[in-house]
Amino acid sequence: MAGNPAAIKLNENGIPDFNALPLRDGNPKYSAWGLYGDKDELGTLNRLTDERVARAAKNEIKTGVRISLNWPLNAQKDSGFFSRKLFHQDLFAKPPRCVNDDIWTFNTQVSSQWDGLRHYAYQKERLFFNGVTMEDIHEEGSEVNGVQAWAQKGIVGRGVLVDHHSWRLEQIKKPNPDPRLVNFDHFATTPIPLEDIQACLESQGTEIKFGDILFIRS
């Protein structure tokens, strides 16, 4: 089924039935482009409404302890994954003043990073999020689907840790463990089925709410 997004039935959270996708004629299979408008560049970040963020802050913050999720820029020492250029720093003293300047050069994927909506397209259709083309992105001065759209408000909400790694280690201690969990390869294309995520969350006693930000420790 496809057609006019405005004519699609939505649930209480404003989400269409999976079988109703795509929402627009000619869009890739299972895409929900158009749900938040033809010019949208946020996708599911639209779910982080002011009301949801405020409610999360009120109900979830207990101790005020902050934890960095950043991987150090220089964590890859010898060669970058997928032959990407490693981090390099030039540090300069600025005499006669007691001042330092530095210049950093690195590929953004050698550390913690978010893949923007202009990074990887639907390969068959050669279309990025919301129908953006390669030509749209490479047009001089184009910022379409750039991460600056995310940065305007940041990504703030109710974060949920899915500790799949600890859950998996507990599962393989049991008699006749699932070989899929025993032979889990972190550096291969190893899917984590939804039922595993759900089982992990149940064992943690974690409740999922609409608009949550999932962190999967695999």
Side-chain angles (χ1 to χ4, degrees):
M1 179 179 178
N4 180 5
I8 302 296
K9 183 179 179 180
L10 305 178
N11 66 17
E12 67 276 10
N13 292 314
I15 304 302
D17 189 84
F18 190 72
N19 292 327
L21 303 178
L23 303 180
R24 300 185 302 208
D25 293 327
N27 280 183
K29 189 176 183 180
Y30 300 138
S31 68
W33 298 348
L35 180 62
Y36 298 108
D38 291 340
K39 300 296 183 182
D40 176 54
E41 298 183 35
L42 295 178
T44 54
L45 293 183
N46 284 286
R47 301 175 183 179
L48 297 177
T49 62
D50 294 346
E51 294 76 17
R52 287 197 179 98
V53 174
R55 186 163 54 247
K58 178 181 179 180
N59 298 333
E60 305 297 338
I61 297 175
K62 305 299 182 184
T63 66
V65 174
R66 285 88 65 209
I67 299 173
S68 174
L69 300 178
N70 294 331
W71 202 33
L73 284 170
N74 60 354
Q76 298 180 47
K77 301 296 185 182
D78 300 320
S79 61
F81 296 149
F82 310 110
S83 301
R84 292 183 170 112
K85 188 174 181 179
L86 293 176
F87 170 78
H88 176 75
Q89 179 189 31
D90 290 310
L91 181 65
F92 304 95
K94 305 290 290 274
R97 296 178 297 166
C98 187
V99 174
N100 290 304
D101 271 349
D102 56 354
I103 297 174
W104 296 5
T105 56
F106 61 96
N107 185 297
T108 55
Q109 298 203 34
V110 300
S111 180
S112 306
Q113 49 88 25
W114 294 80
D115 280 346
L117 296 177
R118 56 164 49 191
H119 174 57
Y120 200 89
Y122 275 84
Q123 296 302 291
K124 179 181 177 180
E125 294 82 358
R126 300 187 63 81
L127 291 174
F128 296 85
F129 178 73
N130 230 354
V132 170
T133 67
M134 185 70 83
E135 291 72 25
D136 293 333
I137 291 172
H138 285 268
E139 184 178 336
E140 184 175 356
S142 171
E143 295 182 347
V144 63
N145 280 355
V147 294
Q148 78 284 338
W150 305 355
Q152 289 179 4
K153 290 188 175 182
I155 301 176
V156 181
R158 181 177 184 265
V160 173
L161 173 64
V162 184
D163 192 358
H164 176 270
H165 176 68
S166 295
W167 174 82
R168 183 181 65 82
L169 293 182
E170 288 300 317
Q171 302 309 302
I172 63 178
K173 292 178 184 178
K174 299 177 180 180
N176 302 314
D178 188 336
R180 179 178 52 80
L181 298 176
V182 175
N183 302 316
F184 193 89
D185 187 347
H186 300 84
F187 290 94
T189 302
T190 306
I192 301 178
L194 175 60
E195 53 265 30
D196 285 4
I197 297 294
Q198 293 171 327
C200 177
L201 289 167
E202 183 178 0
S203 71
Q204 295 177 182
T206 304
E207 178 188 5
I208 292 292
K209 298 180 181 180
F210 186 79
D212 284 352
I213 304 168
L214 294 188
F215 298 88
I216 301 176
R217 179 178 181 243
S218 60

